[in-house]
Amino acid sequence: MRDYLQLLNNLKDGSIKELKITAEEFQDFQPRFMEFPERKQVIGKADRGGVVVYHFERIKDK
């Protein structure tokens, strides 16, 4: 199983630009996602075949 918490952190720190989660992985991914403190900045877009592509949205300074 992939280390989803590490992948989310990689997404946050910019070392990866996107994270693809398949329908088969989603049950394992979801609990790690819910534990992730910045989850509201992780935006997912559904793709074909049940794949969701996530990216990290940075909060812009005012």
Side-chain angles (χ1 to χ4, degrees), residues 19-31:
L19 172 59
K20 291 184 181 183
I21 301 295
T22 65
E24 295 79 21
E25 292 177 294
F26 191 76
Q27 294 290 5
D28 294 326
F29 170 74
Q30 182 68 11

Side-chain angles (χ1 to χ4, degrees), residues 17-49:
K17 293 190 183 249
E18 66 181 25
L19 172 59
K20 291 184 181 183
I21 301 295
T22 65
E24 295 79 21
E25 292 177 294
F26 191 76
Q27 294 290 5
D28 294 326
F29 170 74
Q30 182 68 11
R32 303 295 99 54
F33 177 72
M34 295 308 293
E35 295 169 356
F36 192 63
E38 294 85 8
R39 74 178 174 274
K40 293 190 182 214
Q41 291 174 258
V42 178
I43 309 300
K45 181 179 177 189
D47 205 354
R48 293 179 182 235

